Amino acid sequence: YKNGTALHPLEADCFMKQLLHGIKYMHDRGIAHCDLKPENILFHPNGLLKICDFGTSCVFQTAWEKHVHFQKGAMGSEPYVAPEEFISGKDYDPRLADCWSIAVVYCTMVLGRYLWKIAVPEKDSFYKSFVEELTNENEFYVLEELRHINHDINRMRRVVLYKMFQVNPEKRISINQILQSSWMKRTRCCIPYKV
């Protein structure tokens, strides 16, 4: 992605769906990845997506526990790290941080470039304008300008991406909700995999 090559939207959608199923599998077992980025996503020659590098992953819930252990401190690669991770001393849900990272990964796939370098308004003018546009206009020009070959899917995708990019993690959509969205239900993959 460093050379500025973007994926076709249908290809990116299929990879997104596979990534979401992989992360759902992990989250269902109490593990958050905590470093999702294109470099940690591998592809089999037939297009099957594999998630790798679990060096910063965390166990947020064991099989016998009912509650979720929150994390503290930024983990992962800065362009993909959720904003709540940069708030000193703040606990955050690593599942929702993974969700933010997936949104950034998807946008990186379709744009062929980073959205910003770090999700801290004082350190990154692109991220600052993202927060300001969302606050003042309820939209972000980059998401508004994304194009898809299908107008309906483009609209559905935009709705989900806005929910994934909620700066307040308590308002952010979950992996399960994304998979249940009209966008993912309409996304077809040529790769057979078990759900």
Side-chain angles (χ1 to χ4, degrees):
Y1 298 105
K2 290 181 179 124
N3 64 0
T5 55
L7 294 177
H8 187 283
L10 290 177
E11 197 173 29
D13 288 0
C14 173
F15 292 154
M16 176 73 155
K17 190 169 191 174
Q18 290 186 69
L19 180 58
L20 287 164
H21 276 291
I23 296 304
K24 179 187 181 324
Y25 181 88
M26 290 174 56
H27 287 183
D28 287 349
R29 283 146 186 83
I31 299 165
H33 190 282
C34 303
D35 192 18
L36 291 166
K37 59 184 177 180
E39 296 84 347
N40 289 341
I41 299 169
L42 306 174
F43 295 101
H44 193 271
N46 69 359
L48 183 66
L49 180 144
K50 302 276 186 179
I51 302 162
C52 70
D53 191 354
F54 295 86
T56 56
S57 63
C58 72
V59 176
F60 61 80
Q61 189 175 36
T62 58
W64 57 87
E65 291 178 310
K66 296 260 186 261
H67 71 284
V68 170
H69 298 277
F70 279 32
Q71 294 289 106
K72 252 191 185 91
M75 304 216 312
S77 302
E78 284 186 346
Y80 303 93
V81 173
E84 64 268 21
E85 296 185 53
F86 295 112
I87 301 170
S88 182
K90 181 175 169 52
D91 289 348
Y92 62 87
D93 187 332
R95 298 170 298 179
L96 295 172
D98 273 356
C99 186
W100 175 279
S101 299
I102 292 169
V104 179
V105 166
Y106 180 82
C107 287
T108 305
M109 286 193 290
V110 295
L111 295 170
R113 61 176 169 81
Y114 294 136
L115 285 169
W116 43 71
K117 290 187 176 142
I118 186 169
V120 179
E122 300 77 29
K123 292 185 178 180
D124 191 296
S125 59
F126 291 108
Y127 181 73
K128 183 179 180 181
S129 62
F130 162 78
V131 173
E132 287 171 355
E133 282 185 48
L134 274 185
T135 305
N136 300 331
E137 299 159 37
N138 254 359
E139 61 181 41
F140 179 49
Y141 80 97
V142 174
L143 298 182
E144 293 301 315
E145 290 174 5
L146 284 181
R147 294 292 166 248
H148 202 285
I149 62 164
N150 181 300
H151 178 73
D152 288 339
I153 292 177
N154 194 43
R155 184 182 42 76
M156 293 176 217
R157 173 180 67 172
R158 193 167 38 243
V159 167
V160 173
L161 287 172
Y162 277 119
K163 290 177 181 177
M164 293 177 80
F165 279 123
Q166 285 292 323
V167 174
N168 178 352
E170 291 172 13
K171 295 181 179 178
R172 198 172 301 149
I173 193 172
S174 71
I175 301 291
N176 286 336
Q177 290 169 319
I178 301 163
L179 284 166
Q180 292 304 312
S181 71
S182 302
W183 174 31
M184 283 296 112
K185 285 185 173 178
R186 295 264 309 262
T187 296
R188 301 280 174 254
C189 290
C190 55
I191 303 301
Y193 61 94
K194 293 179 182 167
V195 178

